[in-house]
Amino acid sequence: MALVSMVELLDKAQKGKYAVGAFNCNNMEIVQAIVAAAEAEKAPVIIQASQGAIKYAGIEYITTLTKLAAEKASVPIALHLDHGTSFAQVMQCARHGFSSVMIDGSKHPLEDNIALTNKVIEAVRHLGISVEAELGKIGGTEDDITVSEREALFTDPEEAEYFVQKTQVDALAIAIGTAHGQYKGTPKLDFDRLTQIRERVSTPLVLHGSSGVPEDALREAISRGVCKVNIDTNIREAFVFAARQALEGNPTEIDPRKMLGPAREAATKIIQEKIRIFGSVGKA
Ligand SMILES: [Zn+2]
């Protein structure tokens, strides 16, 4: 089937109290792994590409691979821009057929974030493209800040209500204690804050930086209203580890398929595990 809008996937997830996995891709093997995992679990899925992925693979390759994968698949697939930071980036993705975009205005003051989000919504909603925004700051695990400094960047529930009233955005990424990258310790999520946000807004909520968040914490977050969970780092780890293992002890191996094949299989496996945790098995 053709790519679908993210809105319909998240609305169904919200009603069914599960989350749709949003998995980052960089290359053909990872696109194939995401689709193979979704097919095996009969789950709806979001394939997302960051600006870094688009720069690496080229936007035509990302969209062509993903559209082809969607056409051949029996499960619904959305193609989403992860962390778009400018209006121009978002419009480039819209022109190339993305069915969903994130405009991350979280580094701007609240009113500027609202204005940027609304500019994007006005430009793409009539094309059937869904829009995710971010409120609060989801940093990186490498950011050299203390826990209390990070907490100061968490999403404020009242601000979330105001933001959603002013934008009517399709999905909202919130900062409740997760971070991008590999965690050094175990992340602690602020579940009370999540519940307070959920009580004030009915918009589908998005958890970024979810690789390395323990399984029970993911389930808890989903039970409290998260319905899109982003996974990138776990795929990178599985992919590179398997590729490295395939080459170990084989210094004369020159066939890239001997490296990329096992890497693709490892990525498929970890994505299937996540889909099961998210509760989206059989929801396609
Ligand atoms: Zn993110």
Side-chain angles (χ1 to χ4, degrees):
M1 58 181 94
L3 290 169
V4 300
S5 160
M6 193 170 78
V7 176
E8 58 182 271
L9 300 186
L10 297 190
D11 283 351
K12 257 184 89 179
Q14 196 161 26
K15 288 190 188 98
K17 296 191 185 310
Y18 60 90
V20 181
F23 302 101
N24 285 70
C25 72
N26 289 301
N27 60 13
M28 181 187 79
E29 281 78 9
I30 295 177
V31 170
Q32 290 174 329
I34 298 167
V35 176
E39 287 273 18
E41 301 298 336
K42 298 190 170 30
V45 77
I46 297 158
I47 299 178
Q48 54 186 22
S50 66
Q51 284 302 312
I54 290 169
K55 203 172 157 202
Y56 169 77
I59 194 162
E60 292 89 353
Y61 282 88
I62 297 268
T63 49
T64 304
L65 285 167
T66 309
K67 283 180 199 169
L68 177 66
E71 272 164 30
K72 293 178 69 165
S74 61
V75 297
I77 297 172
L79 174 58
H80 177 73
L81 168 66
D82 190 24
H83 290 285
T85 48
S86 76
F87 184 74
Q89 284 172 358
V90 163
M91 294 316 290
Q92 188 202 25
C93 289
R95 275 195 301 277
H96 280 87
F98 278 58
S99 63
S100 183
V101 292
M102 176 184 190
I103 180 69
D104 178 359
S106 64
K107 68 174 191 292
H108 301 298
L110 179 63
E111 293 298 334
D112 294 354
N113 188 357
I114 289 170
L116 179 61
T117 301
N118 277 333
K119 190 177 173 194
V120 166
I121 290 172
E122 276 164 34
V124 305
R125 181 167 279 165
H126 69 280
L127 303 171
I129 297 173
S130 43
V131 178
E132 174 183 337
E134 177 172 321
L135 188 63
K137 290 194 184 72
I138 303 156
T141 51
E142 302 301 319
D143 293 352
D144 193 19
I145 60 173
T146 64
V147 173
S148 61
E149 282 170 329
R150 195 184 292 286
E151 278 175 6
L153 307 173
F154 283 4
T155 307
D156 179 76
E158 266 179 56
E159 259 185 31
E161 186 175 9
Y162 177 72
F163 187 90
V164 165
Q165 270 171 7
K166 291 286 181 187
T167 60
Q168 303 299 319
V169 75
D170 298 309
L172 184 65
I174 53 169
I176 56 166
T178 59
H180 297 113
Q182 274 182 322
Y183 291 97
K184 289 179 196 97
T186 305
K188 255 186 80 75
L189 307 198
D190 187 343
F191 290 120
D192 289 342
R193 185 179 297 267
L194 169 56
T195 296
Q196 285 164 23
I197 296 168
R198 174 81 298 160
E199 281 166 357
R200 287 169 179 267
V201 307
S202 56
T203 307
L205 301 177
V206 183
L207 197 65
H208 283 238
S210 307
S211 296
V213 175
E215 186 176 329
D216 56 346
L218 287 174
R219 289 185 199 275
E220 179 78 32
I222 293 164
S223 79
R224 289 177 186 243
V226 164
C227 50
K228 172 176 181 262
V229 180
N230 289 9
I231 298 287
D232 185 3
T233 301
N234 282 155
I235 301 173
R236 296 179 183 204
E237 289 164 346
F239 194 89
V240 173
F241 182 80
R244 194 180 285 133
Q245 216 180 21
L247 292 184
E248 239 165 33
N250 279 321
T252 56
E253 181 59 65
I254 58 153
D255 185 348
R257 293 167 296 190
K258 295 279 166 55
M259 170 180 75
L260 294 171
R264 180 172 58 190
E265 276 173 39
T268 305
K269 192 163 164 276
I270 188 76
I271 294 165
Q272 281 185 257
E273 282 170 24
K274 296 295 171 184
I275 287 172
R276 288 180 203 140
I277 295 169
F278 301 162
S280 56
V281 175
K283 305 292 186 187

